[in-house]
Amino acid sequence: MNVRILTNCSCTVAAALLLLGSAGCAFKVVRPPPLVVGSAEGGNVRVVKYPAYILVHDSQSNWDLHQIKDNAVGLTEGEVVHWLDMGIDGVTPGPPGHPIENGIEWIKNNYAQLPDCAPVRVVGGLFYALGLEKITLLSGATKIIWAPTDPISYLAVLRVIYLTDWVQETLGEVNTGAGHLVPWPGPFVPLAVTAPVNRGVDWAQYGSVELYIYVVHKISVGLDDALDGCESAYGGVVWCFVRTR
Amino acid sequence: MGVVAGVLGFAGGCATVERVEPVVPGTFAVPANQAWTSTGIALELKQKLLIEEVEHPRQVLIKGIKWQTVTARGTYLFDVETGPYPLEPDRVHGDTRYPGYCLIGRIGEDGVPFFVGTHFQGLAPQAGTLWLGINDPTPQLNRGDFRCRISTDYPDAPEPAPAFTEAETRTEALDNPEAPKPVPKPAKPLEQPKPVPDANVVIIYVDGLRPDVVVEMAQWGQMPNFRELFLDNGSWVRNSFSVLPSLTLTNFSSMITGDYSNRNGVKMQAYYDRKANVYVDGLSVRYFTRFADELKARGVKAIYDYFPDTFSSTAMPYEPLRANVLQLNLAEWLHRAVNAANYASNIRNKMDEVQTRYALDLASSPKVKVMLVWLPGNDVVSEQTPHGQFGGARPTIARMDGDLGQIVERLKIRHRFENTYFILVSDHGHAGGHDIVNQRFDVKREVFHAYLQMNVVGAWYRFNYPGAPKSRLGAVADYDGAVGIFIPLGSVDSGDLSTPNTYEQLAHYGLADGSQVNAVELFAEYSAMGRWPLKDTSKRPVDFAVAKVDADTVLLYKTMDRQALIRARLNADGIFEFKYEPVRHYETGQPVEPITTGDPLGYLDSEAFRKEVRNVPRWMAGYHTGTEWLQATYRTEYPGCVNSLNLYFRWDGPVTKDSPVPSQPGILLFASKGWVFEPKINLANVHEDTLGSRHGMAFREATNNCLFVSGPGIRKGVIIESPHRMVDIMPTVLQMMGRDPNSAEMDGRPIREIWEGLQ
């Protein structure tokens, strides 16, 4: 008797916890109408009755667990520039103008008008690799809190890879330039030597980016699976109550 | 020409107009703060009427706000109303065909409003006084006026010359045994296009855009960038068609590989993985690399393989897990996406904006030579508004024009425009919205449950049949206007989903009680209420079903009396040829009963088909290549279906020990006009979308896709009538980039007619 009471209590507590834990999740009870199977000629043959379905997932709701997860992760991608632009646009009448972002784009476009030569490419490549305008609010905050004097603390995995690419290209420019100083044709260090090295570095860079995307995607899918499980459990609990009605 | 000149006064009943500048004589000023203004011009019934907007330095300010300016063409780009517009009072807000705040007209005080915009030319629908107004339910706060000139006469357009196509010439010669044999011309090498060196190719892939809609909007002045780039300075391949089914992933695959699904293996956008017993929804983020992985495993080359170091793209319907151009990869896309959309779960709502923002990065990089920009917004919105692209999707299309303008502008700034080829393509058309609002047909309930008593798994959740054993499972790839049916081999309880059934097995399909039914007949001809009336097939949800008869033959099944076999064979050159054989009551192993009218694709009764092939019986008796079939049928309601349907049920791709064989449904159903295969009850999601226009079907409206081309050496302001297909895009891209398109041995052929001097 006591065991039964204990079991019932545990179930009730578990159900309540699940309900509380999923407080943000709305649910919808769907009762599919009975299916009347018949024929136009012969009249009704039979009626199929369906149980109620509990729907929890709502792809359009910002309170859906998947959306909360995506938005939480997305916060880490929010650029400082973007948030500043949002603030400016918020107090400026008219449609959003993204003044800072457009200003940066203007600078980039004008820089691109400079003659195509090695110094221009090297400097442009460095800024491209650094992606200073892409500094995120969270990484910026981390820098200030944890390492205010460390200039590279905001660099994420991808930035490191891009910088290796920039170093590679800069060395290539130097090698090509130095080629003018030596009697043999072509770059200072012959292509036969640099090509395999470049191929190897390229392979490593591309591979790293792919691995990064692969891991991020797998983590995301794993989290989604876990959230599906939560939704399913929550739906199950709700169903226990609905079924008795 | 009877120009009504110098009329400045307004007929009685008009309010005083605030005039800020003098009105040029012969011009009407239509105040924007009044719903209607009488012109005082009396029109007879069917009298000619021409209304043209006159250049005017001051635009109308809607609600007096300076960034809400319009001309007589109106706009889709902002909408500050909540109620219906006067031009379409029966449409719900946000689902209107015509732009808001445009110039409108009516004849008589109670006349039905009609669209004027910047230019109206037509006959008066009734007699009475002409009134002009603004398509604004609350115009009181507007400032300014529209200026227009009105004529009651205009010159008639010259009669168009009768069409006479190359195919007619060819078939006429073939059909006349007495005709003199054509003198063989001395063979000379075909002149090849000469693309500019160091070319770029930009593919703007607007999901589901209807060519008739985008051209209409351009004519109304709503698509200035599109008009300048493609209509005025480019070529329109008007008869371009998708492969079947006209779904996004099948056509995207054909676009980027240049092959039909028999060689790239992408059959549906969702499928039941027969080997792994898993339902795969290709449009889910979870599976975004799945189809690309399968292509790779099958050894099929796609656009990113042809340009390994210079191709880059925005997010695509599916994509490989690779960084084609370093620093422009998916991680960077996601970063841009979050910032363009403000927060992650808003990305899906602002997908076009997100893609365009990233496309600007691509356009800025000299490393990117071939770029693909997918703009899916139109398809998504079309599917969720009752009138689709004849309604609520139009603002999205108008914004797409702005996106196009930004990309072009960036290429100009970066001095890349002059050597860039632009291709604007959609993967399919869209059915519904214009004259029909679609309705749902729930194949799970209506057939699976009603007759097969099976549980079903699909894109919209697993839907169990009450009381059926768990193992009795079928699957449907239920998307839009085409649905793939996966049922166990031989009978509902065999539990063997590893192989698709042939028509013979489907025609004697075992039920749980041991009886047998023709499963194809059930899916094609039945709802839960029994067989649809045979006489009026236009009201039935299923247009026709297709099933495989043997390795080379498929059966099209509309009704027992309206069927056709499509047979394939390889000719001496190794090219597939197809024979279309209309029959009735087909039964495997039995002699066929030919029919001479009422075939499933309607070719036998099509005037357009007869005109193209001249001698129908002779044409039907022979085998013809896919290109010949497309040429013969491109003016019919079912363009180029014959080869596409047969190839769908084949797998001729590169097969190695490890290459995955595509999961093929046993039955492929196509929806009729006005119908969509979708559950009436969504068991996957709390949110229930409104049903809009859709695609996937086999008929023209769903398969006629956009194909516009522009760039150096491309003909300007030309409409190309010769038919083409989705598979022709990839070889054309190769040609633009100076590669030999024939070396890739694709199914498609480069589009020659777009090049100057090659007609």
Side-chain angles (χ1 to χ4, degrees), chain B residues 305-465:
Chain B
D305 299 309
Y306 287 108
F307 306 101
D309 301 320
T310 54
F311 173 80
S312 198
S313 73
T314 62
M316 298 191 287
Y318 62 78
E319 50 195 304
L321 197 65
R322 57 184 291 173
N324 291 80
V325 175
L326 208 63
Q327 302 175 23
L328 291 171
N329 51 59
L330 274 173
E332 291 299 323
W333 177 84
L334 183 65
H335 179 86
R336 278 292 186 214
V338 171
N339 287 286
N342 291 333
Y343 54 98
S345 57
N346 200 30
I347 292 174
R348 62 171 181 266
N349 302 322
K350 293 199 163 195
M351 195 60 177
D352 285 2
E353 205 176 309
V354 162
Q355 299 279 69
T356 304
R357 180 63 193 86
Y358 191 64
L360 296 182
D361 288 345
L362 302 183
S364 303
S365 171
K367 291 179 183 174
V368 178
K369 309 295 288 178
V370 180
M371 75 188 241
L372 190 150
V373 184
W374 179 43
L375 300 176
N378 167 64
D379 188 60
V380 174
V381 179
S382 299
E383 291 185 351
Q384 294 169 358
T385 47
H387 291 93
Q389 292 171 45
F390 296 93
R394 295 218 164 184
T396 306
I397 300 170
R399 282 195 291 274
M400 180 276 287
D401 184 71
D403 298 336
L404 175 66
Q406 285 186 59
I407 294 166
V408 168
E409 182 64 19
R410 180 57 61 98
L411 288 163
K412 281 181 179 169
I413 290 172
R414 297 299 178 108
H415 308 294
R416 307 182 69 200
F417 178 77
E418 287 70 21
N419 59 343
T420 296
Y421 292 99
F422 292 88
I423 300 174
L424 188 142
V425 60
S426 60
D427 45 358
H428 46 72
H430 250 258
H434 186 207
D435 47 358
I436 297 171
V437 172
N438 289 325
Q439 54 185 319
R440 293 181 167 96
F441 181 68
D442 188 344
V443 77
K444 290 191 186 117
R445 269 169 69 96
E446 302 283 339
V447 183
F448 271 103
H449 283 190
Y451 298 105
L452 303 180
Q453 301 180 12
M454 294 181 81
N455 308 309
V456 204
V457 62
W460 310 86
Y461 208 68
R462 179 173 168 138
F463 193 22
N464 285 336
Y465 181 80

Side-chain angles (χ1 to χ4, degrees), chain A residues 26-28 30 32-41 44 46 48-51 53 55-62 67 70-71 74-75 77-79 82-83 86 93-95 98 101 105 108-109 112-113 128-129 133-134 136 158-159 161-162 165-166 169 205-206 209-210 212-214 217 221 224-225 228, chain B residues 67 285-289 308-309 321-332 334-336 338-346 348-349 353 357 360-361 364-365 367 384 410 413-415 444-446 449-453 461-466 527-531 681-689:
Chain A
F27 64 86
K28 186 165 97 175
V30 176
L35 174 68
V36 180
V37 184
S39 68
E41 306 89 31
N44 295 344
R46 67 179 198 282
V48 181
K49 290 182 179 163
Y50 293 100
Y53 281 77
L55 305 188
V56 176
H57 178 64
D58 184 351
S59 62
Q60 299 293 312
S61 166
N62 286 341
Q67 306 300 325
D70 288 345
N71 288 327
L75 271 181
E77 296 283 346
E79 291 170 0
H82 177 69
W83 291 107
M86 276 183 79
H98 309 298
E101 185 188 347
E105 289 298 307
K108 285 185 193 172
N109 284 335
Q113 308 304 316
Y128 202 114
E133 76 280 14
K134 292 182 179 176
T136 62
L158 290 171
R159 297 286 147 209
I161 298 169
Y162 300 162
D165 187 47
W166 174 77
E169 292 199 350
Q205 287 164 342
Y206 284 111
V209 173
E210 283 178 29
Y212 175 80
I213 297 169
Y214 178 81
H217 179 62
V221 169
D224 278 332
D225 285 343
D228 285 343
Chain B
W67 55 82
V285 177
R286 177 182 299 260
Y287 292 115
F288 85 96
T289 61
D309 301 320
L321 197 65
R322 57 184 291 173
N324 291 80
V325 175
L326 208 63
Q327 302 175 23
L328 291 171
N329 51 59
L330 274 173
E332 291 299 323
L334 183 65
H335 179 86
R336 278 292 186 214
V338 171
N339 287 286
N342 291 333
Y343 54 98
S345 57
N346 200 30
R348 62 171 181 266
N349 302 322
E353 205 176 309
R357 180 63 193 86
L360 296 182
D361 288 345
S364 303
S365 171
K367 291 179 183 174
Q384 294 169 358
R410 180 57 61 98
I413 290 172
R414 297 299 178 108
H415 308 294
K444 290 191 186 117
R445 269 169 69 96
E446 302 283 339
H449 283 190
Y451 298 105
L452 303 180
Q453 301 180 12
Y461 208 68
R462 179 173 168 138
F463 193 22
N464 285 336
Y465 181 80
S527 74
M529 288 308 294
R531 188 193 289 269
I681 310 146
N682 178 359
L683 294 177
N685 201 339
V686 172
H687 181 79
E688 185 84 62
D689 283 323

